[in-house]
């Protein structure tokens, strides 16, 4: 060309490659992913095994309990109040203090042929209407198979009882008739015994609806208390 000049010549563009670094990063990521996948797989397997073991144990315990139930055939105990003596039941209108003196005798029947029964933490509570006025602890005891046990307690003292208009009306009617409607609830724990084995504890609720005549100096004016069966709720 004229003047000795040709087109400009540019140096070739330089390219940089980091094959070794990329390859190492890809290998590291692959190892991490593999490790995490292995952990997830192992964790899932362990969780599945644990769940299967727990389900198997629950099924075995259920089968054993069902077999024992059919073999032993436990029956519900039977409670009744055989005697009740009420010598005082006065409510002070101004202070709402109830003064009471009630003695009770209970009879409990164990109808089971193969099971004895432990009665633990016995407690008797007295109610008038929906108001609790007394609470007393009783001694624990053991009852053998096919047997009847008698025990008693006394509810004595005074307590604050807040009766509504309906409750006060019932109290006036009870005074006129000389017979008081009193509820007694028993709370305790029972354990069945078979040989040297004891079951877990149950907490039945016993409720007795009583009609107790008020006695004065040992006399009830011809009115008598009739033995009353109690309702058993397991």
């Amino acid at each position: 060309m004229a003047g000795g000049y040709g087109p400009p010549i540019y140096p070739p563009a330089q390219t940089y490659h980091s094959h070794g670094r990329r390859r190492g990063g890809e290998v590291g990521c692959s190892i991490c992913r593999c490790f995490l996948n292995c952990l997830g797989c192992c964790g899932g397997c362990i969780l599945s095994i644990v769940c299967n073991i727990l389900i198997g144990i629950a099924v075995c315990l259920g089968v054993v309990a069902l077999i024992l139930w059919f073999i032993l055939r436990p029956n519900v105990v039977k409670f009744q109040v055989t005697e009740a003596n009420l010598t005082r039941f006065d409510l002070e209108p101004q202070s709402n203090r109830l003064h009471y003196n009630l003695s009770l005798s209970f009879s409990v029947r164990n109808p089971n042929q193969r099971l004895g029964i432990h009665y633990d933490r016995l407690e008797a509570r007295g109610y008038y209407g929906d108001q609790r006025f007394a609470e007393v602890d009783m001694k624990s005891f053991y009852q053998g198979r096919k047997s009847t046990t008698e025990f008693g307690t006394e509810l004595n003292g005074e307590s604050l009882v807040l009766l509504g208009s309906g409750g006060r009306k019932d109290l006036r009617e009870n005074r006129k008739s000389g017979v008081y409607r009193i509820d007694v609830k028993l709370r305790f724990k029972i354990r069945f015994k078979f040989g040297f084995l004891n079951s877990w504890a149950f907490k039945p609720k016993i409720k007795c609806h009583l009609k107790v005549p008020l006695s004065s100096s040992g006399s009830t004016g011809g009115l008598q208390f009739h033995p009353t069966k109690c309702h058993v709720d397991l």
Side-chain angles (χ1 to χ4, degrees), residues 132-157:
R132 184 173 69 185
F133 65 86
E135 180 178 334
V136 63
D137 294 329
M138 294 179 289
K139 292 183 179 180
S140 302
F141 64 91
Y142 171 77
Q143 186 177 32
R145 300 168 293 174
K146 298 287 289 185
S147 62
T148 301
T149 303
E150 296 182 354
F151 61 96
T153 188
E154 292 188 358
L155 306 178
N156 300 319

Side-chain angles (χ1 to χ4, degrees), residues 11-228:
Q14 295 182 358
T15 58
Y16 298 94
H17 301 281
S18 56
H19 299 290
R21 185 175 299 175
R22 287 186 178 179
R23 188 177 297 118
E26 292 177 356
V27 171
C29 291
S30 299
I31 293 174
C32 291
R33 284 196 295 269
C34 182
F35 180 70
L36 292 176
N37 290 335
C38 289
L39 284 179
C41 181
C42 293
C45 292
I46 293 174
L47 182 61
S48 178
I49 293 173
V50 171
C51 289
N52 290 333
I53 291 175
L54 293 177
I55 292 174
I57 293 175
V59 171
C60 290
L61 291 177
V63 172
V64 171
L66 186 61
I67 293 174
L68 291 176
W69 180 272
F70 279 107
I71 293 175
L72 302 177
R73 294 185 180 276
N75 295 313
V76 178
V77 294
K78 299 178 180 180
F79 276 83
Q80 72 170 345
V81 179
T82 56
E83 293 183 6
N85 185 26
L86 182 65
T87 57
R88 188 180 184 185
F89 204 80
D90 299 325
L91 180 66
E92 297 179 358
Q94 300 299 328
S95 63
N96 292 314
R97 304 293 298 182
L98 177 67
H99 300 266
Y100 54 90
N101 189 347
L102 174 64
S103 62
L104 299 167
S105 296
F106 297 91
S107 174
V108 55
R109 174 69 179 173
N110 177 14
N112 296 285
Q113 297 181 354
R114 300 180 180 90
L115 297 173
I117 302 177
H118 290 281
Y119 296 85
D120 302 322
R121 299 181 182 179
L122 275 80
E123 181 183 78
R125 298 179 179 180
Y127 289 81
Y128 187 78
D130 59 350
Q131 297 290 313
R132 184 173 69 185
F133 65 86
E135 180 178 334
V136 63
D137 294 329
M138 294 179 289
K139 292 183 179 180
S140 302
F141 64 91
Y142 171 77
Q143 186 177 32
R145 300 168 293 174
K146 298 287 289 185
S147 62
T148 301
T149 303
E150 296 182 354
F151 61 96
T153 188
E154 292 188 358
L155 306 178
N156 300 319
E158 64 176 72
S159 63
L160 178 65
V161 175
L162 301 176
L163 297 177
S165 57
R168 290 182 178 275
K169 180 181 178 181
D170 292 339
L171 182 60
R172 289 193 297 268
E173 293 178 354
N174 291 165
R175 285 174 179 169
K176 291 179 181 180
S177 64
V179 178
Y180 290 80
R181 296 177 179 270
I182 298 174
D183 293 334
V184 175
K185 297 180 181 180
L186 299 179
R187 295 182 179 271
F188 51 87
K189 292 182 178 180
I190 62 173
R191 292 176 292 120
F192 293 101
K193 181 180 180 182
F194 177 69
F196 60 90
L197 298 176
N198 291 313
S199 72
W200 55 87
F202 297 89
K203 294 182 179 180
K205 296 179 181 179
I206 314 298
K207 190 171 184 178
C208 312
H209 301 283
L210 309 179
K211 296 180 180 179
V212 188
L214 180 65
S215 63
S216 177
S217 301
S219 174
T220 59
L223 300 175
Q224 295 183 352
F225 174 79
H226 299 283
T228 305

